[in-house]
Amino acid sequence: MSRTERLLELLQILRRHRNPVPGHALAQELGISMRTFYRDIATLQAQGADIEGEPGMGYVMRPGFTLPPLMFSVEELEALVLGSRWVARRADDPSLGSAAANALAKIAAVLPGELRREVEAATLLVGPRTQPVDLVDARLIRDAIRQEHKLAITYGETARTIWPFAIGFFDHVRIVVAWCELRNDFRHFRTDRITAIKAVDERYPRRRAALLKEWRQTQGIPPDSGP
């Protein structure tokens, strides 16, 4: 591994963690000495990466430092292409597919010619699937999640007020994960079984991140390791 590759890998590792990580653990993951690790940290800080920490305290990188898109590996680009194609075919709203394609186009526009050709020639395809037909506009659900607002829905024949905080996309169904005021508990609602929906101009009393964390615990799902 070259020094440039090692520095990029160190950045990627730091970006995966929200809390300080001991220096020896980072050095061990990279397979380098502590002396080399300290030198790499100093180099990244000099280049503008907002890395805080010191020996014995651990290291964490604050948000705001962006890697140049041209540093993506071929595998990372393939993942981006596959993801955008999946969204285009499986999302609940065509605008999401367009957004994914636009984001990929922005990345491709600043890639070197060789990597841009890899994006254009990507051969990982997403096959067609029969999607459930929603009776309501799913954009209202996504808007409520972003704004942390309540929704009034009719699910089957039951009227409920829910606190939506996540949507699960599966091959044949989409699931809204929410706190249900009627049941006073977490509940899962298929979008194709919601027969009516109305935005409620009222924030729910908890942050969606806290709800998601508690829901993961109740489902036995490990905490998300992503950013």
Side-chain angles (χ1 to χ4, degrees):
M1 179 186 297
S2 68
R3 183 166 187 263
T4 298
E5 291 173 329
R6 188 178 72 244
L7 291 173
L8 289 171
E9 180 65 18
L10 177 55
L11 282 174
Q12 295 286 43
I13 295 172
L14 287 169
R15 290 181 68 175
R16 292 200 302 263
H17 296 277
R18 297 176 180 174
N19 298 316
V21 184
H24 66 82
L26 294 168
Q28 183 177 11
E29 185 168 350
L30 291 167
I32 59 177
S33 67
M34 289 303 298
R35 180 178 180 180
T36 299
F37 168 76
Y38 293 139
R39 186 167 60 245
D40 287 351
I41 288 290
T43 298
L44 292 174
Q45 289 172 329
Q47 293 178 354
D50 188 7
I51 301 173
E52 298 179 359
E54 58 186 52
M57 298 297 293
Y59 295 82
V60 64
M61 186 168 70
R62 302 303 178 190
F65 186 73
T66 305
L67 290 176
L70 58 85
M71 302 312 298
F72 288 134
S73 69
V74 173
E75 289 79 12
E76 289 169 338
L77 290 173
E78 286 182 335
L80 288 172
V81 172
L82 181 61
S84 67
R85 289 174 175 172
W86 193 97
V87 170
R89 284 188 174 270
R90 309 292 177 82
D92 55 6
D93 179 3
S95 66
L96 280 180
S98 298
N102 290 341
L104 189 63
K106 290 178 181 179
I107 293 173
V110 296
L111 291 173
E114 181 179 351
L115 289 180
R116 185 164 56 250
R117 287 189 289 273
E118 290 287 348
V119 170
E120 295 169 351
T123 55
L124 301 181
L125 307 177
V126 178
R129 288 280 187 178
T130 301
Q131 290 288 352
V133 177
D134 291 338
L135 302 177
V136 298
D137 188 349
R139 287 177 297 183
L140 291 175
I141 302 173
R142 296 201 306 274
D143 288 344
I145 292 173
R146 283 192 291 264
Q147 298 171 17
E148 299 183 341
H149 275 202
K150 297 182 180 183
L151 281 177
I153 68 171
T154 301
Y155 195 67
E157 298 180 352
T158 306
R160 301 167 184 255
T161 298
I162 64 173
W163 310 349
F165 57 86
I167 301 178
F169 288 78
F170 299 88
D171 281 342
H172 300 288
V173 69
R174 290 180 289 271
I175 301 293
V176 179
V177 186
W179 179 268
C180 177
E181 292 188 354
L182 178 65
R183 302 303 183 191
N184 196 35
D185 200 355
F186 293 111
R187 286 292 186 269
H188 306 140
F189 303 95
R190 288 179 51 153
T191 58
D192 59 328
R193 294 181 180 175
I194 298 176
T195 56
I197 187 170
K198 181 180 179 181
V200 178
D201 189 19
E202 179 183 353
R203 291 177 64 96
Y204 44 75
R206 301 180 60 191
R207 301 308 301 267
R208 66 171 181 265
L211 289 169
L212 181 60
K213 180 179 180 181
E214 185 177 338
W215 171 78
R216 285 180 176 275
Q217 292 173 342
T218 64
Q219 301 298 309
I221 301 174
D224 189 357
S225 58

